[in-house]
Amino acid sequence: MTPARRGDPDPVPSAAPPKPAGPPPATGPDPVPWQRITVDVPGLEFEARPPSQYAFDFPDSECEGWSTDRLTLRFASVRGAKHRYYRQPRQDAARAAVHEATGSIVFAVADGVSSAAESHQGAVEACRAAVERILHLLDRNAERLDCPDVAAHAAERLRELARWRLGIAEPQAAEVARLYATTLVAGVVRAAGDVLEAEVFRIGDSGAWLLDRADGGYHPMFGGKAVPGTPLVSNEVSPLPLVPDRLETAVGRLAEPWTLLVGTDGFGDPLGEGDGRVGELFARHLASPPPPLWLGHVLDFTRETFDDDRTLLAIWPRAEGAT
């Protein structure tokens, strides 16, 4: 560009660039705000109360959704009515990631134990540690997931938190549990040849199911809460930081029309065997991957007596050529 000299005529200003187009005008009637879904007798309705001032990092609800070439993931986690009323944070957590080299989906779901003082922190950190460790292990191309290694890594993360919080070098397991005890279900969905396989393990009473979308049936991948030989249902859990000598593990094939579900007992308890109205509700709304926000909305259904936090992670196989 030639610089201007004294005496040159004033340059002719260039035409102003066109203004960017605004959003298209709204058409049609205003959408109706979502109303909370009721199953049977609704629970009490009230405005949620804020959690304590230092629990600001744990929002009432969160959701996630994306797809790889072969899989679609959705998860949502919502605070239960009890915690909304008593000003407690959501104690459930979920995290997921894609292993870039293989396209596998790695995931973790945790349910902080209510009696632990900072179980919401424990749940998030257990999920983070499990996902990070599984991603690391997948780099080694092992044929099977080293579940004890992942569980030990998550337990060590909770001990590290306790060391920092208590200011002591070697906190006892009971001290870690009083602060950060949490259940954990973690695993991976990956290709084994032309087949997609789901590998999962759990510590505590959170669950995993394979949903047959063709008939709406739920097939649990782990045992239930019932104690063999008794009509009673056990509410006892052995959560992290305890790692049992023998982990509960499961492997399942993920092909059409199956969807892998992983959830805390806030979802599993009202689901039951899956043959009631809650089972019908989710079979209908999970027939295809819903928008992530809609999954959170459905998960936040109201039903009398079921007031726990709820978290549900779902993975669908994708059809060839899907966009």
Side-chain angles (χ1 to χ4, degrees), residues 41-268:
V41 180
L44 295 176
E45 286 294 329
F46 56 91
E47 180 67 15
R49 305 175 73 199
S52 59
Q53 61 182 354
Y54 291 114
F56 57 84
D57 203 23
F58 300 87
D60 180 275
S61 304
E62 61 182 346
C63 59
E64 176 73 299
W66 37 259
S67 293
T68 67
D69 289 343
R70 299 190 64 180
L71 298 164
T72 291
L73 172 135
R74 300 284 188 269
F75 78 67
S77 182
V78 301
R79 188 162 60 131
K82 182 177 179 181
H83 290 162
R84 285 171 176 164
Y85 184 82
Y86 287 107
R87 302 197 57 197
Q88 294 174 311
R90 177 170 46 88
Q91 295 169 345
D92 280 4
R95 293 292 184 269
V98 61
H99 182 249
E100 302 284 357
T102 63
S104 306
I105 290 184
V106 175
F107 55 85
V109 170
D111 180 357
V113 176
S114 296
S115 58
E118 305 288 340
S119 65
H120 50 296
Q121 301 262 13
V124 169
E125 288 302 323
C127 286
R128 286 175 177 160
V131 169
E132 291 167 0
R133 191 62 179 176
I134 295 173
L135 289 171
H136 171 74
L137 294 176
L138 289 181
D139 287 338
R140 300 180 181 179
N141 296 316
E143 185 175 346
R144 284 290 175 219
L145 187 64
D146 189 344
C147 300
D149 180 283
V150 177
H153 187 77
E156 179 58 26
R157 180 68 60 82
L158 299 188
R159 278 190 285 273
E160 290 173 359
L161 278 179
R163 290 189 191 104
W164 170 79
R165 176 64 182 273
L166 300 174
I168 57 179
E170 293 297 332
Q172 299 298 308
E175 294 175 304
V176 181
R178 278 197 291 271
L179 285 171
Y180 301 119
T182 182
T183 73
L184 176 67
V185 181
V188 58
V189 176
R190 58 178 168 173
D194 293 333
V195 176
L196 291 168
E197 268 191 355
E199 296 180 70
V200 292
F201 76 90
R202 75 168 176 177
I203 297 174
D205 62 355
S206 294
W209 303 260
L210 285 171
L211 168 63
D212 184 348
R213 303 195 312 278
D215 63 9
Y218 294 81
H219 301 259
M221 298 184 73
F222 303 113
K225 288 183 175 182
V227 178
T230 78
L232 302 177
V233 173
S234 172
N235 288 321
E236 294 183 1
V237 297
S238 296
L240 284 173
L242 298 177
V243 177
D245 294 334
R246 188 170 184 175
L247 284 174
E248 286 186 90
T249 62
V251 177
R253 183 176 176 179
L254 191 61
E256 289 293 348
W258 300 91
T259 297
L260 173 66
L261 306 180
V262 180
T264 60
D265 59 0
F267 168 76

